[in-house]
Amino acid sequence: MQSPTTTDLGPLRHTAAHLLAHAVIDLFGDDVKLAIGPAIKDGFYYDFLKSTPFVLEDLPRIEARMRELIAADLKMEGKPIKRADAERYYTERQQPFKLDILAGIPSDEPLTMYTIGGFTDLCRGGHVERSKKVGAVKLLSIAGAYWRGDEHNPMLQRIYGTAFPTQEQLQAYLDQLAEAERRDHRKLGRELELFSIEEEAGPGLIFWHPKGGTIRRIVEDWLRDELVARGYDIVYTPHVMRLDLWKTSGHTGFYKENMFGPLEVEHDRYQLKPMNCPGHILIYKSRLRSYRELPVRLAELGTVYRYERSGVLHGLLRVRGFTQDDAHIFCTPAQIEREIEDCVEFAWEVLRVFGFERYEVELSARDPARPGDYAGTEAEWQQAEHALMSTLDRMKVPYKYMPGEAVFYGPKIDVKLVDAIGRPWQLTTVQFDFNLPRRFELAYVAEDGSQQVPLMVHRALLGSVERFFGVLIEHYAGAFPAWLAPVQVAILPITDEQVAYASDVHARLRTAGFRSEVDASNERLQKKIRNQQLQKVPYMLVVGKSEVAAGTVNVRARSGEQTSMSVDDFVAKLAADVAARR
Ligand SMILES: [Zn+2]
Ligand SMILES: [Zn+2]
């Protein structure tokens, strides 16, 4: 989670990490080995090694001790120290990780020890001067972390916490955290039966269950219709291709550690695709192109496989297999601005349709001081960066200019959407590429008969379908609008006598193209309603004796609203909802 003041809170949180170590030593003594304790984006942590591991019940005690240290308004004081003295200090206290840190600091670098209260730590500085300035602290969790992130080293325990200048700010952050937890797509994915990850199949691989599959189909159908309407051609490319292709593309070099290992078939080596680009390039290259055919826009819902360490995998957000809504545009320099504008406009349509109201745009440009680090010519970079900037300016899109952030093969625009609780998510990318067209010797015949290299743009709007689904689940907290909801209507007969009528209403809804189900179980009505509320179904239709007699349904909207209407009127109401994507 981001708060606008996060960057200013570094010194405060770094000081809180010292106080955490201070409190731990006070309570558990020198049995505890200390590692490192930095400030991080949303708080701070400290890594410890303790013979009997910390348990969650320890956190309130440690936190209480930290509060005492804060209230005591201790002064943080730094003193230079000679290397030999620092080594003696930590040898006496039997602190192997601190000695390891010392060994890693170049011998000409000056060392400082900082003391706050009764606790002294080797540190470069960057603190608030008194403990009272730490304000309000909260310890949040304990996780395992290898020393120096290396699995061959001892496993330490990392205690995470956060700190804010005031209790109110801390509480606001904790409330947001609780809200994020309530929306966690992994939890909702299980409860709503949307998807799963099966240990038997392997980590980071997603199984889309029927309800998740329904949402995916709707998203993909919408996307495919839009692609066709916007002049893209939809293509399909193989999941495995010769390893040599990935040598030509350069992926076996700069992308090697992100790929699954090669497979051997008939003495030939094949590679599971980590990207769709080379496949689309082969389609472009299958014959000589004329300028008259350009732009060529090839789109694919292309499934790719990438190696991610198991430790960083996270639900739908970090996975090993995912489907990109990928497209590659091959065009002439004269066409490029129009193409970029269409991509950005398409991205806005995605935001609008899926109910995101806010966004942030970043333009990553090259570092002008290091022209040698990039593929492509000076003129190409100038033209590409100019095309991106002037398009955003013309569209009056505010953006953050980020020199030095471009990858080596071209500048790009990233669009981050901001979800219902203010979190930014990176999804859309529009990326120039000066590298692959040369590596694959792409060409087109220009108007004057000469052969030219086309401009190539990679672009993905949703990014990964899996990740986008994770974001959608959290954005809507699982309460999908009617057009996306896997079950749009639940029909609840009050007793067995109304089951036949309920089935009739169900059939009419199905015929009209809606997704409904009948709860014909023996549960009491209140229990049936509760079950559907937990499933976050947009509409429940309660049918009892009087509804059967009048040929109506009692409509209970997810919002709590209740009305009685004819089945035809309900069909019209739902159709209007779906059409408006409400
Ligand atoms: Zn420090
Ligand atoms: Zn690509």
Side-chain angles (χ1 to χ4, degrees), residues 318-332:
R318 280 291 276 278
V319 293
R320 285 181 175 166
F322 58 96
T323 300
Q324 292 179 306
D325 66 317
D326 210 354
H328 295 89
I329 298 165
F330 305 89
C331 69
T332 69

Side-chain angles (χ1 to χ4, degrees), residues 97-334:
F97 306 113
K98 293 293 183 189
L99 289 167
D100 200 18
I101 294 170
L102 275 170
I105 302 174
S107 55
D108 54 347
E109 208 169 289
L111 302 173
T112 41
M113 295 290 259
Y114 279 85
T115 302
I116 188 161
F119 177 69
T120 298
D121 207 353
L122 177 71
C123 184
R124 259 189 235 119
H127 309 107
V128 290
E129 57 278 17
R130 305 196 72 92
S131 65
K132 246 190 189 157
K133 290 214 166 160
V134 171
V137 288
K138 177 81 190 166
L139 297 182
L140 298 168
S141 60
I142 306 174
Y146 290 108
W147 171 234
R148 295 195 186 279
D150 183 339
E151 63 195 37
H152 301 101
N153 286 337
M155 170 71 92
L156 311 178
Q157 280 189 295
R158 177 167 296 176
I159 299 184
Y160 283 103
T162 192
F164 286 87
T166 67
Q167 187 61 38
E168 292 68 37
Q169 284 166 291
L170 173 65
Q171 195 52 50
Y173 173 77
L174 294 177
D175 291 348
Q176 199 194 17
L177 213 57
E179 181 58 26
E181 208 165 295
R182 190 179 74 80
R183 291 169 180 261
D184 191 316
H185 72 279
R186 294 167 300 178
K187 177 175 152 285
L188 289 170
R190 217 170 23 248
E191 291 170 3
L192 305 178
E193 290 185 86
L194 300 173
F195 73 93
S196 68
I197 296 165
E198 302 293 336
E199 240 347 275
E200 247 182 295
L205 301 168
I206 306 302
F207 288 79
W208 295 72
H209 290 219
K211 287 179 178 172
T214 298
I215 298 177
R216 176 168 175 164
R217 177 177 55 76
I218 296 165
V219 171
E220 290 190 356
D221 285 351
W222 175 82
L223 190 72
R224 269 188 285 259
D225 289 347
E226 282 291 316
L227 285 165
V228 172
R230 290 165 186 267
Y232 286 81
D233 291 310
I234 293 176
V235 298
Y236 301 86
T237 60
H239 287 217
V240 284
M241 291 177 262
R242 273 185 210 281
L243 185 64
D244 282 348
L245 180 71
W246 305 96
K247 287 183 184 154
T248 307
S249 68
H251 286 96
T252 51
F254 71 86
Y255 207 68
K256 189 167 188 283
E257 63 269 29
N258 300 94
M259 305 200 297
F260 277 62
L263 313 157
E264 203 167 306
V265 181
E266 291 181 350
H267 310 297
D268 219 345
R269 299 218 284 171
Y270 286 79
Q271 176 63 48
L272 209 46
K273 70 173 167 183
M275 293 194 185
N276 301 302
C277 340
H280 294 185
I281 284 175
L282 293 186
I283 293 174
Y284 177 90
K285 258 188 87 155
S286 60
R287 60 181 168 77
L288 186 60
R289 305 279 177 172
S290 149
Y291 72 93
R292 285 194 194 88
E293 297 173 64
L294 301 185
V296 169
R297 307 183 192 98
L298 302 179
E300 177 175 13
L301 282 153
T303 303
V304 297
Y305 297 89
R306 294 183 185 173
Y307 169 67
E308 298 260 19
R309 282 181 300 112
S310 49
V312 302
L313 297 172
H314 182 89
L316 293 168
L317 304 180
R318 280 291 276 278
V319 293
R320 285 181 175 166
F322 58 96
T323 300
Q324 292 179 306
D325 66 317
D326 210 354
H328 295 89
I329 298 165
F330 305 89
C331 69
T332 69

Side-chain angles (χ1 to χ4, degrees), residues 81-107 111-113 122:
I81 187 168
K82 289 203 184 75
R83 181 170 292 260
D85 293 339
E87 280 166 2
R88 188 172 328 110
Y89 182 86
Y90 282 124
T91 306
E92 277 167 11
R93 282 164 182 77
Q94 297 177 36
Q95 291 291 344
F97 306 113
K98 293 293 183 189
L99 289 167
D100 200 18
I101 294 170
L102 275 170
I105 302 174
S107 55
L111 302 173
T112 41
M113 295 290 259
L122 177 71

